[in-house]
Amino acid sequence: MRIGGRRKSVIFFLTFGILLVALALALNVGWILLNWRQVALLVLGIVFFALIITGLVLNTTFLIREIRRNEQHDAFINAVTHELKTPIASIRLYLETLKTRDVSEAQRKEFYDIMLADSDRLLQTVEQVLHAGRASHKQSLANVSVIDLGRVVRECLDLTRVRYNLNPDSLLYVESMGEARPRVAGDEDELRAAVSNLLENAVKYSGKEVHISVEVAALDDRRLAVRVADRGVGIPRGQLKRIFKRFYRVQGGFMKRFKGTGLGLFIVRSIVEKHGGRVFAESAGLGQGSTFTIHLPRA
Ligand code: ADP
């Protein structure tokens, strides 16, 4: 993925560290050698000192960032392992029951449905990881065509309604486009993935009471907006930007009950940026619901 870039920055900071040590040595030796030149020494000393302090601050920032990234990697590996293991264990259990016990026809059908749902979950996790891998590359879009975004969003809503067994009132759709159709030039599958990810999050982070409203609106002559608003757990103000980073998940006691990999919003942002748009989150704080908005250029 971005191993090349990371190796480069590690080499950069390593060289930087070595230079700093050399600078410190030069300062010490210079101090002794140039002792008689009081003024020059003072000026040099101040400059070198400022340089060393700046370097140390930069190095420490880099180290802290690396440590944080490592922690997020660990959390990600744990989350993915959990997301893979749970459905596999469940499928195994049902298969063993089917093999060793006599079950009624109705029960057998129920077991098949559960196993299908589990394999869907498995597939979704694997696809999410693969998609995130692709999203890290700065490739341009493959299948670009002019798409009716209203239709794509409505189809995603229908799918979410069926998948999570939601009643029609819990997912509202509004289109404020006037006469025009919300057309964008882009890759339909990718845009569908972006909208679905936002909808799935809205359902997941709503808990039991799901009230989601989705709006497709004209911002101006050149831009469209898709807004997904929920009344769920909300997002702390300080983390509204960070949640789009790869592997990033909001921490905190009650967030533990929500499972996930921290890839969804990273995928959304990559897709939207490849389409020349941007995405941002708004929330009045914890417990206040969240709104995610995508801006895309009109076709
Ligand atoms: P995941 O949901 O797998 O953790 P995402 O990248 O989709 O990963 O989301 C990153 C984080 O952003 C989540 O862990 C969650 O804390 C926060 N988040 C995303 N969507 C919502 C939402 N609709 N309401 C509240 N928090 C959200």
Side-chain angles (χ1 to χ4, degrees):
M1 280 191 266
R2 291 165 49 204
I3 292 171
R6 249 178 113 183
R7 186 168 298 156
K8 258 188 215 154
S9 62
V10 169
I11 290 173
F12 171 77
F13 277 96
L14 206 65
T15 323
F16 198 50
I18 293 169
L19 280 178
L20 282 180
V21 172
L23 207 62
L25 276 176
L27 187 62
N28 265 326
V29 175
W31 192 270
I32 298 159
L33 287 181
L34 301 173
N35 207 11
W36 55 277
R37 284 189 181 170
Q38 293 292 334
V39 182
L41 245 174
L42 192 69
V43 174
L44 266 181
I46 289 171
V47 172
F48 277 13
F49 198 67
L51 279 176
I52 288 173
I53 295 293
T54 318
L56 279 178
V57 169
L58 277 176
N59 248 11
T60 314
T61 319
F62 171 75
L63 281 179
I64 289 172
R65 252 193 19 218
E66 280 298 302
I67 290 168
R68 268 212 198 132
R69 205 177 283 178
N70 266 345
E71 280 171 1
Q72 278 168 13
H73 271 183
D74 286 349
F76 166 73
I77 300 279
N78 283 340
V80 168
T81 315
H82 175 88
E83 289 294 301
L84 295 178
K85 236 171 112 178
T86 315
I88 292 176
S90 159
I91 292 173
R92 255 192 90 105
L93 192 77
Y94 285 108
L95 282 176
E96 269 167 10
T97 315
L98 282 171
K99 193 179 164 195
T100 52
R101 294 213 187 134
D102 283 334
V103 290
S104 68
E105 188 63 19
Q107 255 181 330
R108 203 149 53 108
K109 281 216 171 100
E110 192 192 328
F111 285 5
Y112 287 152
D113 284 342
I114 297 173
M115 285 194 283
L116 276 175
D118 279 332
S119 54
D120 272 352
R121 185 173 157 193
L122 209 58
L123 200 67
Q124 219 180 330
T125 308
V126 173
E127 271 173 4
Q128 193 92 319
V129 174
L130 289 177
H131 209 148
R134 264 183 283 142
S136 327
H137 300 298
K138 294 252 179 279
Q139 285 166 344
S140 50
L141 295 162
N143 308 308
V144 179
S145 57
V146 174
I147 300 157
D148 184 333
L149 199 61
R151 175 182 57 80
V152 171
V153 171
R154 260 182 281 121
E155 284 173 9
C156 291
L157 278 168
D158 290 340
L159 212 73
T160 310
R161 209 172 272 134
V162 173
R163 180 175 283 166
Y164 295 97
N165 229 335
L166 301 171
N167 65 40
D169 302 341
S170 44
L171 276 181
L172 295 180
Y173 177 69
V174 192
E175 204 171 288
S176 344
M177 288 296 301
E179 299 288 291
R181 293 299 311 146
R183 279 189 240 281
V184 294
D187 184 322
E188 182 162 335
D189 290 341
E190 295 274 292
L191 287 174
R192 201 182 286 276
V195 175
S196 298
N197 264 311
L198 290 186
L199 289 175
E200 269 159 29
N201 275 351
V203 175
K204 176 161 80 174
Y205 295 104
S206 280
K208 286 204 179 100
E209 288 282 312
V210 180
H211 294 283
I212 300 168
S213 59
V214 181
E215 186 187 6
V216 174
L219 265 187
D220 49 42
D221 289 349
R222 288 184 299 148
R223 287 178 308 161
L224 288 176
V226 182
R227 278 187 209 98
V228 179
D230 64 58
R231 297 193 211 154
V233 294
I235 303 161
R237 204 169 276 273
Q239 314 207 12
L240 288 171
K241 285 218 173 88
R242 268 190 262 166
I243 51 173
F244 291 94
K245 287 189 178 160
R246 196 164 49 150
F247 309 137
Y248 190 84
R249 308 199 69 223
V250 174
Q251 305 298 320
F254 77 100
M255 290 304 278
K256 284 208 182 87
R257 67 191 151 107
F258 301 107
K259 301 287 173 228
T261 54
L263 291 177
L265 290 180
F266 168 72
I267 294 174
V268 173
R269 192 186 60 184
S270 319
I271 293 174
V272 171
E273 285 178 354
K274 275 183 196 167
H275 283 81
R278 68 188 201 98
V279 56
F280 54 90
E282 291 162 294
S283 172
L286 285 178
Q288 310 281 320
S290 328
T291 304
F292 285 83
T293 308
I294 294 178
H295 288 176
L296 285 170
R298 294 170 79 154

